[in-house]
Amino acid sequence: MTARNERKPEPRIPLSRERVLRAAVDVADQGGIESLTMRRLAEELGAEAMSLYYHVANKEEVLDGIADVIATEINDVVDQIDAPSKGPDWKKAVRQRILSAREVLLRHPWAPGVFDTRTNLSPAVVQYIDALVGLMRDGGFSNDLAHHALHALGSRALGFTHELFDPSDGAGDEGGAAMLEMADRLPHLVGMMMEVAHDDPDSTLGWCDDQFEFEFGLDLILDGLDRIRETA
Amino acid sequence: MTARNERKPEPRIPLSRERVLRAAVDVADQGGIESLTMRRLAEELGAEAMSLYYHVANKEEVLDGIADVIATEINDVVDQIDAPSKGPDWKKAVRQRILSAREVLLRHPWAPGVFDTRTNLSPAVVQYIDALVGLMRDGGFSNDLAHHALHALGSRALGFTHELFDPSDGAGDEGGAAMLEMADRLPHLVGMMMEVAHDDPDSTLGWCDDQFEFEFGLDLILDGLDRIRETA
DNA sequence: CGCCATATCGTACAAGGTAAGTCTGGGCGC
DNA sequence: GCGCCCAGACTTACCTTGTACGATATGGCG
């Protein structure tokens, strides 16, 4: 009865930076980014918090790491695409890439938030951007225009935009009801909302079709770039 | 020598939600948003941390509050403007508004970050957006188009965009040097950077003129909207 | 002068990041 | 074969930050 088999021979897989980062993504996918603590992450791996520090310098590095994991996932998906990009085809190619990136991000809703707390950008993101520039060059963009285009696209290039108002918060109508009370102070907004909501079949005030709006804004920019490109 | 004048009669101004929020903005302006802790904030006010909780429910409310303070500052500036917005003038009017908002945000570099951690949006932001919709309506936008326009503008409407790479980080060249090493893996990006940097007089690789890029993207979108508006 | 609402403070705890030291098992020189 | 070493994991403990809870100060009023 002395300690012989003190621990079941649980075939403890050794930790590694890879394993840590993958587990971190899992934790964030399951419980949101705020649930990603070093202790929770260790638990996920069947280890102790401090053990993680042998593989990553600190939590910042974990965040850098998972951003890179996601960007890599995006690259994997996006590199499957083989669309023509020469001349006027550039736009379709870029559009398809960006929308594919967006699909990946929709699977990791916490990722956009992490991306823009990152001060140093991930290698995989650089790789992604590089390919995007490549498509634009194929389309006849000057380097200068491609550069401006990146800035114009901003976070949209990676498939997300920062929502100023996040529809997924208050108990549905509440905010809208409060808004109706001050309708006299917000004539334009209230008028707009009423009309837009009316046109839309369901729409309890979760009225915005994210996908549609995203594409609208994206196309606006792409069309503008295309017009510049033609006249250059 | 017993405690008589235990404290100089320091005419302690009473706390108030107003004072707390203003102090919070000051702290953030001075030390960045990460320096804004309840204790630091109390110190700024010559009080103790727990005293703040009589005037604000919790730190989230402080953050909501300072977002609103900044948005109010924007509204104050922007409401000074009296530009014609009827018909084709809409674009100049909107442009001017947004660039003015941007000027305010440049004085509070932490503000964009706070804005998009806010899940409930500040009344002052709603007010701002409402006025923007008003200008677009003046320009002949349908409510529907105005709605899409808001989405297309995204955070740009308030005068900021999320930089994917923040130039203000690594020791200047470092990142660029590392990038040159893998030039073969990033042909397009490196090519673009070399050329763009070459055109630009100084440019140590802090090559991007934020203001120019911001206006470029903004105009791209505004021009696109204008074209849609004309054909509607 | 005593009372109570209002405003402030002191103490204390929980959560989370992480510094520093400790234990352990397997490889390697002798 | 034997002991040393060290990578890798664990233990303890500390510090910061938000905030619950209750005590305390203050000032106006009956």
Side-chain angles (χ1 to χ4, degrees), chain B residues 18-40:
Chain B
E18 287 308 302
R19 245 166 67 72
V20 168
L21 295 183
R22 285 194 193 297
V25 169
D26 288 348
V27 170
D29 281 344
Q30 291 166 34
I33 194 65
E34 70 284 356
S35 77
L36 180 59
T37 71
M38 296 304 272
R39 289 181 231 265
R40 174 73 189 76

Side-chain angles (χ1 to χ4, degrees), chain A residues 130 143 152 156 189 195 227, chain B residues 130 143 152 156 189 195 227:
Chain A
D130 184 71
N143 276 322
R156 236 179 273 261
L189 252 194
E195 185 173 320
R227 205 163 302 106
Chain B
D130 184 71
N143 276 321
R156 236 181 273 262
L189 251 194
E195 186 173 319
R227 207 163 301 103

Side-chain angles (χ1 to χ4, degrees), chain A residues 119 121 127 130 134 143 147-148 151-152 156 162 169 185-186 188-189 192 195 208 212-213 216 227, chain B residues 119 121 127 130 134 143 147-148 151-152 156 162 165 169 185-186 188-189 195 208 212-213 216 227:
Chain A
T119 166
L121 67 168
Q127 197 76 50
D130 184 71
N143 276 322
H147 174 217
H148 295 325
H151 279 282
R156 236 179 273 261
H162 277 277
D169 60 333
R185 311 194 57 190
L186 304 172
H188 307 104
L189 252 194
M192 183 183 81
E195 185 173 320
C208 303
F212 182 90
E213 299 305 342
F216 181 89
R227 205 163 302 106
Chain B
T119 165
L121 66 168
Q127 196 76 52
D130 184 71
N143 276 321
H147 175 216
H148 295 327
H151 278 282
R156 236 181 273 262
H162 278 275
F165 20 70
D169 62 332
R185 313 195 55 191
L186 303 172
H188 306 106
L189 251 194
E195 186 173 319
C208 303
F212 182 89
E213 300 304 344
F216 181 88
R227 207 163 301 103

Side-chain angles (χ1 to χ4, degrees), chain A residues 42-74:
Chain A
E43 181 188 359
E44 181 84 3
L45 290 160
E48 297 298 315
M50 289 314 292
S51 305
L52 305 178
Y53 285 86
Y54 198 87
H55 305 276
V56 294
N58 48 39
K59 188 171 182 182
E60 277 297 288
E61 197 175 301
V62 172
L63 293 176
D64 284 345
I66 60 177
D68 198 62
V69 167
I70 299 304
T72 300
E73 187 180 337
I74 289 176

Side-chain angles (χ1 to χ4, degrees), chain B residues 86-91 136 138-142 145 222-232:
Chain B
K86 286 296 169 198
D89 286 335
W90 79 273
K91 197 157 61 172
M136 292 195 266
D138 285 349
F141 280 49
S142 69
L145 181 55
L222 293 181
D223 288 345
L225 293 174
D226 202 33
R227 207 163 301 103
I228 295 175
R229 180 188 74 88
E230 283 164 0
T231 67

Side-chain angles (χ1 to χ4, degrees), chain A:
Chain A
M1 197 54 75
T2 32
R4 185 71 320 213
N5 57 354
E6 317 116 318
R7 200 143 320 188
K8 60 175 57 176
E10 211 189 294
R12 150 109 63 199
I13 309 164
L15 293 179
S16 74
R17 185 185 159 85
E18 287 307 303
R19 247 168 62 72
V20 168
L21 294 182
R22 285 194 193 295
V25 169
D26 287 347
V27 170
D29 281 345
Q30 291 166 35
I33 194 64
E34 71 285 355
S35 77
L36 180 60
T37 72
M38 297 303 273
R39 290 182 230 263
R40 173 74 188 77
L41 178 51
E43 181 188 359
E44 181 84 3
L45 290 160
E48 297 298 315
M50 289 314 292
S51 305
L52 305 178
Y53 285 86
Y54 198 87
H55 305 276
V56 294
N58 48 39
K59 188 171 182 182
E60 277 297 288
E61 197 175 301
V62 172
L63 293 176
D64 284 345
I66 60 177
D68 198 62
V69 167
I70 299 304
T72 300
E73 187 180 337
I74 289 176
N75 281 336
D76 289 348
V77 168
V78 134
D79 287 347
Q80 301 291 88
I81 304 173
D82 184 28
S85 55
K86 286 295 171 200
D89 285 336
W90 78 272
K91 198 157 59 170
K92 267 197 296 287
V94 166
R95 195 170 190 279
Q96 191 178 356
R97 250 172 183 259
I98 293 180
L99 291 179
S100 293
R102 179 173 170 78
E103 278 176 31
V104 172
L105 289 182
L106 290 176
R107 300 203 290 267
H108 308 287
W110 47 269
V114 172
F115 273 123
D116 63 46
T117 61
R118 294 313 80 207
T119 166
N120 14 342
L121 67 168
S122 116
V125 170
V126 177
Q127 197 76 50
Y128 175 87
I129 301 280
D130 184 71
L132 213 54
V133 172
L135 295 185
M136 293 195 266
R137 301 299 327 260
D138 285 349
F141 280 50
S142 69
N143 276 322
D144 201 47
L145 181 55
H147 174 217
H148 295 325
L150 288 185
H151 279 282
L153 285 167
S155 64
R156 236 179 273 261
L158 260 174
F160 67 97
T161 48
H162 277 277
E163 296 298 336
L164 229 34
F165 21 68
D166 185 340
S168 60
D169 60 333
D173 213 61
E174 181 190 342
M179 205 173 281
L180 284 187
E181 287 175 31
M182 48 199 282
D184 50 332
R185 311 194 57 190
L186 304 172
H188 307 104
L189 252 194
V190 171
M192 183 183 81
M193 287 172 63
M194 304 253 279
E195 185 173 320
V196 175
H198 184 264
D199 291 352
D200 199 338
D202 38 4
S203 140
T204 58
L205 218 44
W207 37 313
C208 303
D209 180 338
D210 276 7
Q211 185 67 27
F212 182 90
E213 299 305 342
F214 183 84
E215 296 190 16
F216 181 89
L218 177 58
D219 287 337
L220 201 58
I221 295 174
L222 294 181
D223 289 345
L225 293 174
D226 202 33
R227 205 163 302 106
I228 295 175
R229 181 188 73 88
E230 282 165 0
T231 67

Side-chain angles (χ1 to χ4, degrees), chain B residues 142-191:
Chain B
S142 69
N143 276 321
D144 200 48
L145 181 55
H147 175 216
H148 295 327
L150 288 185
H151 278 282
L153 285 166
S155 64
R156 236 181 273 262
L158 258 174
F160 67 97
T161 49
H162 278 275
E163 296 298 336
L164 230 32
F165 20 70
D166 186 341
S168 60
D169 62 332
D173 214 60
E174 181 189 340
M179 204 173 282
L180 284 187
E181 285 175 31
M182 49 198 285
D184 50 333
R185 313 195 55 191
L186 303 172
H188 306 106
L189 251 194
V190 172

